[in-house]
């Protein structure tokens, strides 16, 4: 019973972390590009090209009949980088205050 709770909490934590990182990265990229950059939806992370195994290399998601869009993984990476920088900066700021 304990392992079920652990697995469910781990999945919940990963979803919250990924969602927060994607949302932050999405907002940062949209602001920096002045809204011109197309970013793939969060659910496109699991999307694979037909006929190929593994992930397509590169940062762009190419879909038939649609304009290319920045992969959702890139938005997650930008968001995680932002929050890591915030945590490090906050820690340095607190350490310098003492």
């Amino acid at each position: 019973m304990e392992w079920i709770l652990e697995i469910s909490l781990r999945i919940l934590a990963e979803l919250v972390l990924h969602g927060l990182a994607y949302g932050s990265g999405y907002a940062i990229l949209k602001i920096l590009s002045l809204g011109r950059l197309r970013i793939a939806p969060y659910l496109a992370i699991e999307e694979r090209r037909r006929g190929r195994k593994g992930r397509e290399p590169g940062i762009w998601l190419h879909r038939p009949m649609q304009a290319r869009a920045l992969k959702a993984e890139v938005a997650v990476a930008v968001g995680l980088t932002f929050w890591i920088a915030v945590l490090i900066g906050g820690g340095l700021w607190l350490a310098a205050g003492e």
Side-chain angles (χ1 to χ4, degrees):
M1 183 66 176
E2 185 176 310
W3 61 274
I4 294 173
L5 180 63
E6 181 180 345
I7 291 173
S8 60
L9 287 177
R10 179 178 223 156
I11 291 171
L12 181 65
E14 285 184 18
L15 287 175
V16 168
L17 180 64
H18 255 128
L20 179 67
Y22 175 77
S24 301
Y26 184 90
I28 290 167
L29 290 170
K30 284 291 191 178
I31 290 169
L32 291 178
S33 70
L34 301 175
R36 294 186 188 133
L37 187 62
R38 288 182 47 99
I39 302 171
Y42 180 72
L43 296 177
I45 287 179
E46 298 297 325
E47 190 171 305
R48 296 181 179 188
R49 285 190 77 177
R50 286 184 226 150
R52 288 190 179 181
K53 291 185 179 180
R55 296 204 179 270
E56 180 182 342
I59 62 170
W60 298 104
L61 180 64
H62 300 280
R63 292 178 170 171
M65 304 298 289
Q66 291 183 1
R68 71 179 185 170
L70 197 64
K71 287 186 177 180
E73 291 96 331
V74 176
V76 170
V78 169
L80 280 176
T81 304
F82 170 76
W83 286 111
I84 289 170
V86 166
L87 289 175
I88 291 173
L92 291 174
W93 182 69
L94 288 176
E98 292 179 2

